[in-house]
Amino acid sequence: MTITFTLNGKKVEVSVEDDANLLWTLRERLNLTGTKFGCGVSLCGTCTVHLDGKPIKSCITPLAAVEGKKVTTIEGLSENRSHPLQVAWIEQQVPQCGYCHSGQIMQAAALLQENPSPNREEIIKHMNGVLCRCGTYLRILKAIEKTIQKA
């Protein structure tokens, strides 16, 4: 099947098997490897991207579900890591292994798009479900709060 959608602001068309999912299409067909594979069953959030501005788990999203829609990956937030969340992530020294952070940043970006000044409880609730095996949750929280303060 052939699917057409907007990816990081550019229209793309990709021919894939009927059972293709978004994560592996992004990584293997479109060479966008910033979106990571974590669990494959929507439990960890490492593969989070935006579909029409809303965070989704790309590992369980059939590619057919993005037909005619807008997909944004971590590469689409900024070409040079200048997105305010990316800057805050670096300033707050959030990553240890760094594996989950594209999903963390994409989840946080969706929150701030919807609610530019969430309180701490709202941040924690929204970020729940994006797991960090290194346990940098307090740094993640600080980076999001710093981004809000600078806005």
Side-chain angles (χ1 to χ4, degrees):
M1 78 176 159
T2 300
I3 301 293
T4 303
F5 61 102
T6 302
L7 177 60
N8 298 332
K10 298 176 183 171
K11 193 171 188 171
V12 296
E13 183 176 284
V14 62
S15 295
V16 294
E17 301 296 321
D18 290 348
D19 63 348
N21 73 21
L22 180 57
L23 172 64
W24 293 112
T25 301
L26 291 170
R27 291 184 58 80
E28 294 180 349
R29 299 282 180 122
L30 301 169
N31 297 316
L32 294 176
T33 57
T35 304
K36 305 296 184 202
F37 171 78
C39 67
V41 291
S42 186
L43 295 175
C44 71
T46 297
C47 67
T48 300
V49 299
H50 296 173
L51 181 62
D52 287 342
K54 303 292 182 195
I56 62 159
K57 309 300 189 298
S58 64
C59 71
I60 61 161
T61 303
L63 192 62
V66 305
E67 175 71 45
K69 297 184 178 177
K70 294 178 183 175
V71 174
T72 305
T73 67
I74 190 74
E75 294 92 346
L77 282 186
S78 166
E79 291 181 12
N80 60 2
R81 297 183 187 143
S82 64
H83 186 279
L85 282 167
Q86 292 169 313
V87 171
W89 240 249
I90 294 166
E91 287 175 356
Q92 295 302 308
Q93 299 178 354
V94 175
Q96 282 187 14
C97 82
Y99 199 80
C100 71
H101 291 289
S102 62
Q104 297 279 1
I105 290 170
M106 295 305 290
Q107 187 75 10
L111 168 64
L112 298 182
Q113 183 68 28
E114 183 179 308
N115 179 359
S117 55
N119 61 39
R120 184 170 268 219
E121 183 178 308
E122 291 168 325
I123 295 169
I124 292 169
K125 182 178 178 182
H126 185 83
M127 296 301 291
N128 187 28
V130 185
L131 305 178
C132 175
R133 294 183 79 181
C134 299
T136 64
Y137 296 112
L138 290 177
R139 290 188 215 166
I140 291 168
L141 183 58
K142 285 181 183 179
I144 296 169
E145 290 175 332
K146 290 287 183 186
T147 302
I148 294 165
Q149 290 172 0
K150 289 182 178 181

